[in-house]
Amino acid sequence: MKKIISLFLVLPFFCLAQCWEKISISATHSLAIKSNGTLWAWGDNSYGQIGDGTFIDRATPIQIGSDTDWTDLAAATQTSLALKANGTLWSWGRNDFGQLGDGTFINKNMPIQIGTDTNWSSIDSNPSGYHFQALKTNGTLWVWGLNTTGQCGDGTLINKNVPTQVGNGNTWISVKGGGSYTLAIKADNTLWGWGSNSFGQLGDGTTTNRSLPVAIGNNTDWSAFEAGTFHSLAIKNNGTLWGWGRNNAGQLGIGITASKTLPTQIGSLDNWSKIAAGSEFSMAIKQDGTIWSWGFNNNGQLGDGTLVSKTAPQQMGTLSNWEDIIINGYRSTAINADGTLFSWGLNNDGQIGDGSFVTRTTPTAIDCGPLSTNDLEEYSDFILFPNPVSNELNINSKYEIESISIFNLLGVKVAHHNGDEKSIYVGNLPKGIYILELISNDTKLYKKFTKK
């Protein structure tokens, strides 16, 4: 993460649109962490999954509490999970299957701590199911919630309302939850699955459900993987892309709609870097930063401006600065290189976060929130003049300037300049207060100015 020099007396009250660090989405609500460690949520709140103490839906991001030490999060169907820097685990929302992990079956509309352990290291949810999974710092794997198809991996079909260890091994390094199944990878880069297997989503060549982990082949070169509702995706160390499971809408990206019970290579390219699997559609990022999408597109979730489904990967737009992609249900979310959050697809519960309930077929930027300029601190090594300014804004800085960006008070970037510029034209900006961001050696410096 890039180093940020704070020029503010109270940092949590100042943020740019480019301030999102991590996000997780369910089909109907979203969770996100900002660069200052605060937790935010929006969308459907029928079970208290937003976590603000109410059951009111939110069409724009709302802060959850005032803590600034959140590090990881996971949004599931009407339930939320989050991790703090001290290794404690928290949950809220729907709990009829024990998915909150607090030993009860009672819904909660505010974060509650799961047990007293302080050694949780990472968490994950499932796109359309009701179980969670998490890893501890000692390499053990834990699952809880709905277990009717064995998705908890403990050899039973009994629901769990407290975290339950999967086996007795301590070599797990990553875990992902599917609709009613779970995938995980070990330190030796072998891939394992358990739970529902009705469409071959476990990748073991069968359609038999498994209540204990089963190896997916004998390969030891898996580097990334994702579990969708009924299909799975994975990337190998050589950059090739693979898929298996249900393929009714072309979500495997192999050009046909036949399901596969074994990993099947998607195309022949070897430059894939990140993947995401949702409900009957898929997305991936290549090493060049471009996003590609395929599968069902009934709500514009492929982001290409159409409602036409695709059976093979198609590039979404022309941008090449995408860094992460998260999809769930029939919607998508992505973050680009400067931290800007974009969302598109189904929006009936305000889950996109743009203040509307309008479905979007192309990426829509999600503002980080209003800005406050009252807390800006003077910094003698970085001066703007004249200030207020009419046309030419001069920059006096001892730092080598890599890039300059200007934001309005809604946190929207309104101008960008590359290179070591000492003077920039702002005559085309409306009157008002703006924030200038200067980047030097991966360090961000901020200064306010007034356009008169």
Side-chain angles (χ1 to χ4, degrees), residues 16-17 24 122 166-167 217 243-244 259 267 297-298 300 322 325 330 335 337 347 412 429 436:
L16 301 175
S24 179
S122 66
V166 178
W244 59 95
S259 298
N297 196 28
N298 61 325
W322 298 104
I325 177 72
Y330 298 107
I335 299 176
N347 194 30
V412 177
L429 296 178
L436 185 141

Side-chain angles (χ1 to χ4, degrees), residues 25 36 64 91 105 152-153 251 262 270 272 281 315 327 340 348 358 396 423 442:
I25 65 174
N36 59 15
I64 308 306
S91 63
F105 296 94
C152 286
Q251 57 263 49
L262 289 169
D270 59 0
W272 300 98
F281 78 108
Q315 185 173 347
I327 66 177
T340 305
N348 58 318
V358 179
N396 185 355
S423 178
D442 287 336

Side-chain angles (χ1 to χ4, degrees), residues 1 168 172 177 215 238 301 310 416 452:
M1 186 182 300
N168 56 11
W172 301 101
N238 62 5
Q301 57 265 40
K310 313 289 191 305
H416 180 78
K452 63 181 181 179

Side-chain angles (χ1 to χ4, degrees), residues 10-333:
V10 188
L11 179 60
F13 294 102
F14 175 86
C15 65
L16 301 175
Q18 289 69 23
C19 75
W20 302 105
E21 292 291 336
K22 185 169 290 189
I23 184 169
S24 179
I25 65 174
S26 75
T28 59
H29 82 290
S30 302
L31 302 175
I33 297 175
K34 289 185 178 181
S35 56
N36 59 15
T38 56
L39 179 63
W40 299 71
W42 61 94
D44 176 45
N45 196 27
S46 54
Y47 287 84
Q49 61 264 42
I50 295 298
D52 64 347
T54 77
F55 297 95
I56 302 171
D57 294 352
R58 306 292 181 176
T60 56
I62 182 173
Q63 185 172 349
I64 308 306
S66 59
D67 292 343
T68 60
D69 57 348
W70 299 102
T71 60
D72 201 4
L73 37 73
T77 303
Q78 297 155 337
T79 314
S80 302
L81 186 70
L83 182 66
K84 286 191 174 183
N86 62 4
T88 57
L89 195 56
W90 301 71
S91 63
W92 59 99
R94 185 174 178 176
N95 196 30
D96 50 341
F97 302 111
Q99 56 266 50
L100 293 189
D102 67 341
T104 77
F105 296 94
I106 301 171
N107 301 339
K108 308 291 192 305
N109 63 6
M110 296 181 69
I112 57 162
Q113 187 173 345
I114 300 176
T116 59
D117 289 347
T118 59
N119 62 339
W120 297 102
S121 61
S122 66
I123 55 179
D124 188 74
S125 61
N126 52 82
S128 57
Y130 300 93
H131 70 289
F132 283 106
Q133 44 281 329
L135 294 173
K136 288 188 175 181
T137 55
N138 60 7
T140 57
L141 173 58
W142 302 73
V143 181
W144 62 97
L146 186 66
N147 193 34
T148 53
T149 61
Q151 56 264 55
C152 286
D154 69 336
T156 77
L157 301 180
I158 302 171
N159 297 341
K160 312 295 178 184
N161 65 3
V162 294
T164 302
Q165 187 173 354
V166 178
N168 56 11
N170 61 354
T171 61
W172 301 101
I173 60 174
S174 185
V175 61
K176 303 288 183 179
S180 297
Y181 72 106
T182 308
L183 299 179
I185 195 169
K186 290 186 176 181
D188 60 1
N189 292 325
T190 56
L191 191 57
W192 299 72
W194 57 93
S196 176
N197 196 27
S198 52
F199 296 97
Q201 57 265 45
L202 296 187
D204 66 345
T206 77
T207 55
T208 303
N209 294 347
R210 309 287 185 177
S211 61
L212 289 170
V214 58
I216 301 175
N218 55 12
N219 291 324
T220 59
D221 58 349
W222 299 106
S223 63
F225 62 100
E226 287 289 338
T229 302
F230 297 111
H231 77 289
S232 306
L233 300 175
I235 298 176
K236 289 189 175 182
N237 291 334
N238 62 5
T240 57
L241 180 59
W242 300 72
W244 59 95
R246 192 178 189 188
N247 194 32
N248 61 304
Q251 57 263 49
L252 294 187
I254 56 177
I256 60 175
T257 56
S259 298
K260 300 292 181 181
T261 61
L262 289 169
T264 302
Q265 187 170 354
I266 301 173
S268 59
L269 299 179
D270 59 0
N271 60 345
W272 300 98
S273 64
K274 291 190 176 182
I275 46 178
S279 296
E280 303 175 313
F281 78 108
S282 306
M283 304 193 81
I285 299 178
K286 287 186 178 180
Q287 294 169 5
D288 63 2
T290 57
I291 281 186
W292 297 69
S293 57
W294 60 97
F296 201 32
N297 196 28
N298 61 325
N299 285 286
Q301 57 265 40
L302 298 188
D304 62 355
T306 78
L307 299 177
V308 180
S309 300
K310 313 289 191 305
T311 60
Q314 304 288 324
Q315 185 173 347
M316 186 196 75
T318 60
L319 297 180
S320 59
N321 65 340
W322 298 104
E323 290 200 341
D324 204 3
I325 177 72
I326 309 98
I327 66 177
N328 207 327
Y330 298 107
R331 68 188 186 100
S332 308
T333 301

Side-chain angles (χ1 to χ4, degrees), residues 1-15:
M1 186 182 300
K2 292 182 178 180
K3 176 183 178 184
I4 301 178
I5 290 183
S6 172
L7 304 184
F8 312 103
L9 300 177
V10 188
L11 179 60
F13 294 102
F14 175 86
C15 65

